[in-house]
Amino acid sequence: MTRLFNDPSDFPEEARLGLVAAHRDKLMAVPGGVVRSTRSQSGSVAVVVGGGSGHYPTFAGLVGQGLAHGAVMGNLFCSPSAQQVYSVAKAANNGGGVLLSFGNYAGDVLHFGEARERLIADGIPCEIVLVTDDVASAPLAEIDKRRGIAGDLTVFKAAAAAAEKGLSLEEVVQVAKEANRCTRSFGVAFDGCTLPGAADSLFHVPEGRMAIGLGIHGEPGISETDIPTADGLAEILVGRLLEEVPNGIRLQGARVAPILNGLGTVKYEELFVIYRKVDELLQDAGLIIVEPDVGELVTSLDMAGVSLTLFWLDKDMEPLWTAAADAPGYRKGSVTPAQALDPAEVEVVTQDEIPAASETSRALARGVVEALEVLANTVNENCEMLGQIDAVAGDGDHGIGMQRGSRAALEAAKEALNGGAGAETVLQWAGQRWSDEAGGTSGAIWRVILTAMGESLGNEKPLSGQRLAAGVVNARQQVMAFGKAKLGDKTLVDVLVPFADALAWEAEQGQEALACWESAARIASEAAEATRQLIPRVGRARPLAEKSVGTPDAGSVSLALIIQALIPVLKKCQAN
């Protein structure tokens, strides 16, 4: 388990600052992550990678000459926010455009996609390449649904080497896509990982058993089997990956770079015992091995697990794989030291100013802050239960993520209120800070919800049933457009849609805000309970869909609890 920490919620940020302090010759801290502290060629493509923390050396440890130009660092196992991605990309930009690359997870896709739109609006060309190397997470016919695990390294390495050569953004994108096409990974786990401050691991595997097809965010495996010998495990890993040789590659005489990756507690000696057999099996299959890597490259805190990646090389890809690189967590060959970068040259994204607001809206803003305090308390009281629900088929961090996000949102709302903000600005600040601190799909969705509510309440007018309902309807529309989830997908949408519809109907009847909310809250609670019988069709729970039947959706439950808890706040606001 993770034993050394201060406040668990500060763990990712303190780890980031410590990493930078230990590698100032390579890294510079910027809002949302890190960038190179050395100068890159002007006009070259910047490769920006990222995802949740807890995977070192991925992602921040892969920033340096010959590798990434910047890494966005979300909270533990949570995607970074769009603001954080935008901030790091702006700081890393060399003038030749930005490639954003990351594992194929719903929250990352949402946040990085939104950041890309903002960068393009700023006149910075930007493209995205997803990593989809995990063969266990979806069949070959649905390869676009596969998640990214240790194959992150091959895609990042190839793309960064191409950028280092001075290739255009279009060319770097094509290299990254081809690297992803030629990368396959498969992993197993012997036990789960423990988040800082948590009492237990996110999942356990029975003694003597091994989970097949692990994720890197604490997700349980797809199935289980008895633990084999080291040679037996090598045969399982190699056998599964040789079932999927990418199109256009003939097995006999093909060149391949193997990566045997430890997830956190499988030590190097054990890995070498396994790799000895991996090497033998690959050579017996007629393959030529090129610069293999054995070690901890994409971890999951203290997870006991192993994955094997095969990166299939051709005459164009091999020089990119073997090219020199010098990053805190990955070195290959020898690079010519680059000139140190002056921090004053790095563009830093700052907080927006607070716009003017009416006294009426500032009074309403005080009620909004009170509502956010109730929300945060409700999440805190139910944090463990929400995590347990989420752990059935997900990674078990929903409660902790909601706790981090709601706490940060409350702090931001108080800051905005003290600065004279109205209701809209308070909600905007709260939503952005929630997204920054919590990350993940949940963080993105709650930013959308709070921002949409703020847009409807505005910075001028008082509260009314119609405007409250309009805010929730606005949130529903924006969440569904942003996250692409539909009714029946077993997500927060399964509560948000009937709640918004009920609230709007009550408002149309001329009911006051409190009466509207109380009636719709009952609908929300019923809808959350009904998600027990649904099968998840999107998100991290999808690969383990059947396991979740009989358990409600964590996001739906948390939303319904919050809706119910806000009734006393509305009573007070209406009385005033």
Side-chain angles (χ1 to χ4, degrees):
M1 64 183 296
T2 309
R3 297 177 177 84
L4 300 176
F5 51 86
N6 297 308
D7 183 331
S9 63
D10 294 334
F11 185 87
E13 176 63 4
E14 291 180 347
R16 178 180 78 109
L17 296 177
L19 173 65
V20 172
H23 296 282
R24 290 192 179 94
D25 59 324
K26 298 179 179 67
L27 301 179
M28 180 188 303
V30 295
V34 298
V35 295
R36 292 188 192 180
S37 61
T38 56
R39 191 179 302 281
S40 300
Q41 182 181 349
S42 179
S44 63
V45 174
V47 176
V48 175
V49 304
S53 298
H55 305 300
Y56 189 84
T58 301
F59 296 92
L62 302 182
V63 174
Q65 286 181 255
L67 257 167
H69 298 79
V72 197
M73 303 170 65
N75 222 305
L76 288 172
F77 300 166
C78 292
S79 66
S81 70
Q83 176 72 10
Q84 290 169 324
V85 178
Y86 175 75
S87 168
V88 174
K90 291 275 280 189
N93 178 36
N94 300 314
V98 175
L99 169 64
L100 302 174
S101 190
F102 48 92
N104 184 26
Y105 297 89
D108 294 285
V109 172
L110 291 173
H111 288 298
F112 279 86
E114 183 182 346
R116 174 179 178 266
E117 293 177 1
R118 292 179 62 185
L119 290 165
I120 291 173
D122 285 352
I124 300 174
C126 182
E127 297 296 341
I128 286 175
V129 174
L130 303 177
V131 182
T132 56
D133 60 304
D134 179 21
V135 301
S137 54
L140 185 58
E142 298 180 323
I143 194 169
D144 60 314
K145 294 182 180 179
R146 288 179 171 176
R147 58 196 174 190
I149 51 175
D152 283 350
L153 175 62
T154 69
V155 178
F156 300 167
K157 177 69 174 64
E164 209 81 15
K165 289 175 60 177
L167 272 63
S168 68
L169 178 59
E170 182 180 1
E171 292 169 322
V172 172
V173 167
Q174 290 308 310
V175 166
K177 287 182 176 179
E178 179 63 9
N180 182 60
R181 188 187 76 82
C182 293
T183 301
R184 299 286 189 275
S185 299
F186 184 59
V188 300
F190 312 105
D191 203 9
C193 57
T194 308
L195 297 173
D200 198 6
S201 298
L202 293 176
F203 72 92
H204 286 291
V205 180
E207 188 70 27
R209 301 280 285 176
M210 176 177 76
I212 302 290
L214 80 158
I216 58 168
H217 298 96
E219 307 97 323
I222 305 296
S223 61
E224 290 180 4
T225 188
D226 289 340
I227 296 178
T229 62
D231 284 2
L233 177 56
E235 290 169 355
I236 290 171
L237 296 173
V238 172
R240 177 64 183 88
L241 293 182
L242 291 187
E243 292 175 3
E244 266 200 39
V245 179
N247 289 338
I249 294 175
R250 296 179 59 184
L251 198 60
Q252 193 67 33
R255 301 175 72 82
V256 65
I259 301 171
L260 186 63
N261 176 57
L263 271 293
T265 59
V266 176
K267 303 319 299 174
Y268 276 73
E269 285 84 353
E270 293 176 273
L271 293 173
F272 290 136
V273 171
I274 300 168
Y275 185 74
R276 165 193 136 273
K277 187 64 175 179
V278 168
D279 182 89
E280 176 186 316
L281 293 169
L282 293 176
Q283 291 196 61
D284 287 348
L287 302 178
I288 299 170
I289 296 173
V290 180
E291 294 195 9
D293 277 318
V294 179
E296 294 184 346
L297 297 160
V298 182
T299 62
S300 185
L301 287 177
D302 62 338
M303 181 184 284
V306 175
S307 67
L308 177 65
T309 299
L310 294 183
F311 183 26
W312 300 88
L313 304 170
D314 61 17
K315 62 180 179 62
D316 296 319
M317 197 63 69
E318 185 169 332
L320 301 176
W321 174 246
T322 60
D326 186 17
Y330 190 84
R331 296 180 183 181
K332 188 186 283 281
S334 178
V335 302
T336 301
Q339 181 184 2
L341 182 65
D342 184 348
E345 298 178 56
V346 177
E347 184 170 357
V348 177
V349 178
T350 58
Q351 176 72 57
D352 293 335
E353 293 184 2
I354 296 175
S358 69
E359 181 55 43
T360 298
S361 186
R362 288 198 293 271
L364 178 56
R366 289 191 285 274
V368 168
V369 170
E370 187 173 340
L372 288 169
E373 188 163 8
V374 169
L375 186 160
N377 289 337
T378 301
V379 168
N380 193 56
E381 291 165 4
N382 293 279
C383 180
E384 185 175 353
M385 177 269 290
L386 293 171
Q388 291 171 347
I389 292 174
D390 189 40
V392 172
D395 52 15
D397 70 345
H398 181 74
I400 293 174
M402 289 287 291
Q403 189 179 53
R404 285 193 300 250
S406 60
R407 183 187 304 168
L410 177 59
E411 292 173 357
K414 289 178 177 178
E415 290 173 17
L417 181 66
N418 291 336
E424 178 177 4
T425 303
V426 165
L427 284 164
Q428 285 177 340
W429 279 42
Q432 185 59 61
R433 192 74 62 82
W434 187 317
S435 182
D436 288 347
E437 294 298 321
T441 306
S442 178
I445 294 303
W446 275 95
R447 178 182 61 79
V448 171
I449 290 173
L450 296 181
T451 302
M453 291 292 296
E455 289 171 351
S456 293
L457 295 181
N459 280 327
E460 298 293 333
K461 298 179 180 178
L463 180 67
S464 70
Q466 289 77 12
R467 294 177 64 238
L468 184 64
V472 177
V473 170
N474 187 20
R476 178 197 68 190
Q477 293 169 340
Q478 292 195 34
V479 165
M480 294 183 73
F482 181 70
K484 311 301 181 188
K486 305 180 293 295
L487 274 173
D489 283 348
K490 198 163 186 172
T491 71
L492 168 148
V493 165
D494 291 305
V495 168
L496 184 57
V497 168
F499 174 67
D501 289 346
L503 196 63
W505 188 87
E506 293 290 342
E508 288 173 1
Q509 312 313 305
Q511 297 287 344
E512 292 185 329
L514 174 60
C516 293
W517 194 275
E518 286 181 317
S519 179
R522 290 190 291 272
I523 302 292
S525 298
E526 293 168 1
E529 179 63 22
T531 62
R532 285 183 183 274
Q533 304 311 315
L534 297 177
I535 296 177
R537 297 194 293 232
V538 296
R540 289 185 190 165
R542 184 188 56 79
L544 300 168
E546 298 300 330
K547 285 189 176 182
S548 79
V549 176
T551 301
D553 172 63
S556 296
V557 171
S558 60
L559 176 58
L561 287 170
I562 289 166
I563 289 169
Q564 192 68 38
L566 291 179
I567 290 174
V569 181
L570 281 169
K571 284 182 179 178
K572 185 175 180 180
C573 285
Q574 190 163 294
N576 293 337

